[in-house]
């Protein structure tokens, strides 16, 4: 089993590729706007709209999602705020409105992220005729699709400025989040392909993200935050998927995560803060059974299902549901992000 290997390799290669892209440094200043692309780790409310397109029930539209901070479901895959929410609050920008579910102004930013989104085009995952009753996911919400939405919004964002330079100046004063991407690509591949086949797609995912960054830079983006993958081998969903295939030697005895002893993790973003919380849960006020979810179960019951369990104190848990972290975990993660975002001389996270 090499779940941590996949996360680490993507982080390592992505870090090298992004520094080669040559985006300018982030500095301590106010941003005019924030634009975010990604999947459910960044989605502030687009996924209910997309699920509705395909007549698929979206569990995050019901309690107890959103209960910790908002007091009601918001379309976020969390009990409260996400990392991008904390960043917006710290930088003095309003919480990002979801592009597909908001009819107001996007002059201060927009969120294009969608739960279950992939980096690669969705057609790659749907080779051949699907069996009857097969899930429609992944759907047309890939990174390329999200960039298309951004480009469709661009004329309205720049209509009050004069000329192409003014438009580039506006995006140059904005902060762009590109990701997290990759988790869903691998999760969908796990269902159909061998680990060796999945490894062969890593360069294409890296290239897709790098091309997207270059595309945004051409639009005028100068400050880009590019999160690496979460440690997928620690997520309850992946642990459950491989429960019947993994042997005792496939698990890290110190953490309980699916391991790879040869992983070299040098890109500290989502991966490293989460691994620190897994390895030292008490340091962050988490319970010792750190890989146990707060919301969901017993058995296959999803968070919000009738009879599903919700823990009494989400702040004592790392994982909110089978994939996503709690608000308090995101709060810890964002401190590492903000140290880089707010420090002069750093290029890209």
């Amino acid at each position: 089993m090499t779940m941590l290997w996949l996360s680490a390799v993507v982080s390592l290669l992505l870090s090298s590729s992004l520094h080669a892209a040559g985006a300018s440094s982030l500095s301590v200043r106010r941003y005019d706007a924030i634009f975010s692309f990604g999947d459910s780790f960044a989605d502030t409310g687009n996924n209910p709209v997309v699920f509705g397109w395909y007549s698929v029930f979206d569990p995050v539209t019901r309690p107890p999602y959103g209960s910790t901070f908002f007091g009601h479901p918001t379309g976020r895959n969390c009990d409260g705020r996400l990392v991008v929410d904390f960043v917006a609050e710290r930088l003095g920008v309003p919480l990002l409105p979801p592009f597909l579910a908001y009819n107001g102004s996007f002059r201060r930013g927009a969120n294009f992220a969608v739960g279950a989104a992939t980096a690669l085009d969705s057609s790659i995952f749907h080779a051949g005729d699907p069996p009857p009753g097969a899930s429609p996911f992944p759907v047309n919400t890939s990174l390329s699709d999200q960039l298309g939405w951004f480009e469709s919004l661009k004329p309205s964002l720049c209509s009050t400025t004069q000329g192409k330079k003014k438009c580039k100046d506006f995006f140059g004063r904005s902060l762009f989040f590109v990701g997290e991407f990759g988790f869903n690509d691998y999760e969908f591949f796990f269902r159909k392909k061998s680990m060796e086949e999945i490894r062969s797609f890593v360069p294409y995912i890296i290239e897709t993200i790098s091309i997207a960054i270059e595309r945004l830079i051409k639009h005028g983006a100068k400050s880009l935050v590019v999160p690496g993958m979460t440690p997928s081998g620690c997520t309850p969903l992946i642990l459950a998927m491989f429960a019947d295939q993994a042997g005792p030697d496939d698990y890290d005895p110190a953490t309980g995560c699916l391991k790879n002893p040869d992983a070299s993790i040098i890109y500290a973003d989502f991966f490293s803060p989460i691994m620190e919380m897994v390895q030292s849960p008490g340091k962050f006020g988490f319970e010792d059974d750190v890989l146990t979810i707060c919301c969901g179960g017993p058995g296959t019951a999803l968070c919000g299902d009738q009879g599903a369990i919700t823990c009494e104190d989400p702040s004592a848990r790392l994982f909110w549901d089978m994939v996503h972290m709690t608000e308090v975990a995101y709060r810890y993660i964002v401190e590492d992000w903000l140290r880089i975002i707010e420090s002069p001389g750093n290029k890209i996270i």
Side-chain angles (χ1 to χ4, degrees):
M1 293 299 105
T2 54
M3 303 301 104
L4 289 183
W5 177 89
L6 285 172
S7 298
V9 156
V10 168
S11 298
L12 172 61
L13 294 179
L14 184 56
S15 177
S16 300
S17 300
L18 296 180
H19 283 290
S24 65
S25 64
L26 300 171
S27 59
V28 181
R29 60 181 174 85
R30 294 284 183 176
Y31 292 93
D32 287 0
I34 299 176
F35 298 96
S36 176
F37 307 83
D39 56 18
S40 56
F41 292 103
D43 183 359
T44 57
N46 287 310
N47 68 93
V49 176
V50 172
F51 279 47
W53 291 347
Y54 297 89
S55 300
V56 175
F57 174 69
D58 187 354
V60 306
T61 59
R62 60 188 179 180
Y65 283 92
S67 57
T68 294
F69 180 77
F70 299 100
H72 59 85
T74 64
R76 289 167 172 81
N77 284 262
C78 184
D79 61 311
R81 289 163 290 183
L82 309 176
V83 168
V84 70
D85 295 317
F86 287 116
V87 171
E89 289 178 350
R90 177 76 70 89
L91 298 181
V93 175
L95 298 186
L96 302 189
F99 174 70
L100 299 176
Y102 183 69
N103 295 321
S105 171
F106 292 101
R107 285 289 299 174
R108 299 302 307 278
N111 193 312
F112 304 96
V114 181
T118 53
L120 299 176
D121 188 85
S122 61
S123 62
I124 293 174
F125 302 89
H126 295 295
D129 295 326
S135 168
F137 293 96
V139 295
N140 296 327
T141 57
S142 69
L143 176 52
S144 178
D145 293 310
Q146 293 179 29
L147 284 171
W149 299 340
F150 166 74
E151 289 168 347
S152 73
L153 181 64
K154 181 179 175 180
S156 67
L157 296 174
C158 300
S159 61
T160 58
T161 62
Q162 298 178 353
K164 188 175 181 180
K165 182 180 183 302
K166 290 287 186 180
C167 191
K168 281 199 166 189
D169 288 344
F170 171 66
F171 292 131
R173 298 190 305 272
S174 300
L175 183 63
F176 288 79
F177 282 81
V178 187
E180 189 261 9
F181 281 105
F183 182 96
N184 290 312
D185 296 76
Y186 299 120
E187 196 271 322
F188 288 122
F189 278 142
F190 288 150
R191 304 169 190 267
K192 299 180 179 180
K193 298 183 181 295
S194 68
M195 189 61 66
E196 196 63 34
E197 290 175 309
I198 293 172
R199 284 175 178 156
S200 69
F201 281 92
V202 170
Y204 298 105
I205 293 173
I206 300 302
E207 182 182 21
T208 298
I209 297 171
S210 298
I211 289 173
I213 292 163
E214 293 173 358
R215 194 164 152 185
L216 288 170
I217 290 172
K218 288 180 180 178
H219 284 295
K222 292 183 178 180
S223 300
L224 299 102
V225 177
V226 186
M229 280 183 60
T230 62
S232 56
C234 295
T235 59
L237 173 66
I238 300 300
L239 288 169
M241 286 178 63
F242 286 89
D244 296 332
Q245 303 174 40
D249 292 340
D250 293 319
Y251 295 92
D252 184 338
T255 64
C257 300
L258 288 165
K259 68 180 181 179
N260 180 347
D262 298 321
S264 177
I265 307 167
I266 65 169
Y267 182 54
D269 184 52
F270 260 131
F271 194 106
S272 293
I274 293 174
M275 286 307 300
E276 184 179 6
M277 287 184 266
V278 169
Q279 293 165 347
S280 305
K283 176 181 176 181
F284 300 91
F286 295 136
E287 297 176 358
D288 290 339
D289 55 343
V290 69
L291 300 183
T292 299
I293 62 177
C294 174
C295 187
T300 59
L302 299 176
C303 181
D305 280 353
Q306 185 175 3
I309 297 171
T310 302
C311 67
E312 292 185 5
D313 183 11
S315 68
R317 297 291 177 92
L318 169 59
F319 283 97
W320 168 246
D321 58 19
M322 289 290 283
V323 175
H324 309 95
M325 271 62 72
T326 55
E327 179 186 89
V328 69
Y330 287 129
R331 185 190 292 275
Y332 289 130
I333 292 168
V334 82
E335 292 305 318
D336 282 341
W337 291 31
L338 285 166
R339 273 193 287 272
I340 303 175
I341 292 174
E342 296 178 328
S343 297
N346 289 305
K347 287 189 176 182
I348 300 174
I349 295 179

